[in-house]
Amino acid sequence: MQKIIIDQEFWDIFPEVEIAVMTAHDVDNHNDTNVPDNLIQDANEIAKKWVPDDPISANPVVKAWRDAYRKFKTKKGARNAVENLLKRAKNNKGVGNINPVVDVYNSVSLEYAFPIAAEDLDKIVGDVHLTVAKGGESFTPIGEDEVEEALPGEVVYRDDKDIISRCWAWRDSARVADTDDTKDLLFYMENIQPDRKDDHIAAANALKKRFHDYLNIDINDLTFLNKDNREFVFSK
């Protein structure tokens, strides 16, 4: 058994955050699924409701994440992943189809405006911590070969080997990224706005439902982590 553990160093900065976590097992991440052809295209259109104003930083969802990123050390230019999705939708350059799993969780991320990470469970080493980096921890981003190092004071997800997500929810590690051959997945989805608690619950349940309806996968371990419930146990 393994865990996601949210360390005290994180709560010292963000005491009101809630994180939805869940796992999916025996996934068949190929194209013979019931995922609607227009799922991601429709989600790109729905996403525009979250960013009607210019500049994009004036919209509450984006502003909240920009403000959060000012509270810890970040790589220059780093933005939360959901901002990048919403910006593409706003500019009519929405994300396209990738594979069934990615399309399903991207559709939820776009429609509800929350970042969602999906990591390959079989590639995670030991426990996962959401914590504050000491500096120098290694990280290899998706799509790149060059190894980076975390900054001192940077909020990160890490396992027992190295960083699996830099700048909190900016970029994921190539080592644990989900692929067409991934069978087991760990998801986490952060909410930094307490007044969006109902939206957060709805988004998590939408992800569960779409996995059931489109991929024939039942998710039974949805859990919400907060400062009073800091650990989530999962199995491969």
Side-chain angles (χ1 to χ4, degrees):
M1 305 297 286
Q2 295 168 276
K3 297 179 181 179
I4 290 183
I5 302 167
I6 305 181
D7 294 344
Q8 182 61 45
E9 292 89 342
F10 174 85
W11 297 118
D12 289 343
I13 307 171
F14 297 108
E16 296 186 316
V17 165
E18 288 198 325
I19 303 173
V21 292
M22 64 190 88
T23 59
H25 296 277
D26 299 320
V27 173
D28 183 3
N29 196 14
H30 296 88
N31 292 324
D32 51 345
T33 67
N34 296 318
V35 178
D37 292 339
N38 61 341
L39 178 69
I40 200 69
Q41 289 77 18
D42 290 349
N44 281 312
E45 290 302 313
I46 294 169
K48 294 177 183 178
K49 73 177 183 179
W50 297 107
V51 284
D53 299 325
D54 292 314
I56 195 170
S57 58
N59 297 281
V61 168
V62 176
K63 183 179 185 302
W65 277 109
R66 292 274 187 105
D67 290 346
Y69 272 43
R70 294 187 183 98
K71 295 181 179 180
F72 64 93
K73 191 72 172 179
T74 66
K75 186 173 180 178
K76 184 177 180 180
R79 297 283 186 258
N80 181 268
V82 77
E83 176 177 339
N84 295 326
L85 288 179
L86 295 176
K87 183 177 181 179
R88 290 179 65 172
K90 181 179 177 66
N91 293 337
N92 295 312
K93 297 178 181 178
V95 64
N97 297 95
I98 298 173
N99 63 46
V101 164
V102 176
D103 293 350
V104 167
Y105 71 75
N106 273 346
S107 74
V108 174
S109 188
L110 284 160
E111 291 180 29
Y112 290 88
F114 292 106
I116 301 176
E119 316 293 14
D120 190 319
L121 272 178
D122 297 321
K123 298 173 183 175
I124 291 173
V125 179
D127 293 333
V128 174
H129 289 257
L130 176 56
T131 191
V132 176
K134 293 179 173 58
E137 297 94 332
S138 63
F139 172 79
T140 304
I142 292 174
E144 297 184 21
D145 297 325
E146 184 176 348
V147 177
E148 301 177 358
E149 292 187 350
L151 301 169
E154 179 181 342
V155 172
V156 298
Y157 284 93
R158 66 162 179 84
D159 66 5
D160 287 353
K161 185 171 183 178
D162 57 21
I163 303 297
I164 63 175
S165 183
R166 273 203 76 181
C167 297
W168 193 357
W170 171 50
R171 298 191 71 180
D172 285 344
S173 165
R175 176 173 62 85
V176 298
D178 60 296
T179 69
D180 290 353
D181 296 322
T182 294
K183 299 298 182 185
D184 301 293
L185 288 157
L186 170 67
F187 295 97
Y188 39 88
M189 174 174 59
E190 301 94 345
N191 176 30
I192 62 171
Q193 297 171 272
D195 61 346
R196 294 196 64 210
K197 183 180 181 71
D198 289 346
D199 288 344
H200 192 221
I201 293 170
N205 285 322
L207 186 61
K208 280 186 59 176
K209 187 174 189 304
R210 291 179 192 185
F211 260 75
H212 172 79
D213 292 351
Y214 303 151
L215 303 174
N216 197 30
I217 297 293
D218 289 321
I219 292 174
N220 299 312
D221 59 358
L222 169 61
T223 302
F224 291 88
L225 299 181
N226 54 47
K227 63 183 178 181
D228 298 316
N229 180 35
R230 303 180 178 201
E231 296 185 1
F232 171 74
V233 179
F234 60 88
S235 60
K236 292 185 178 179

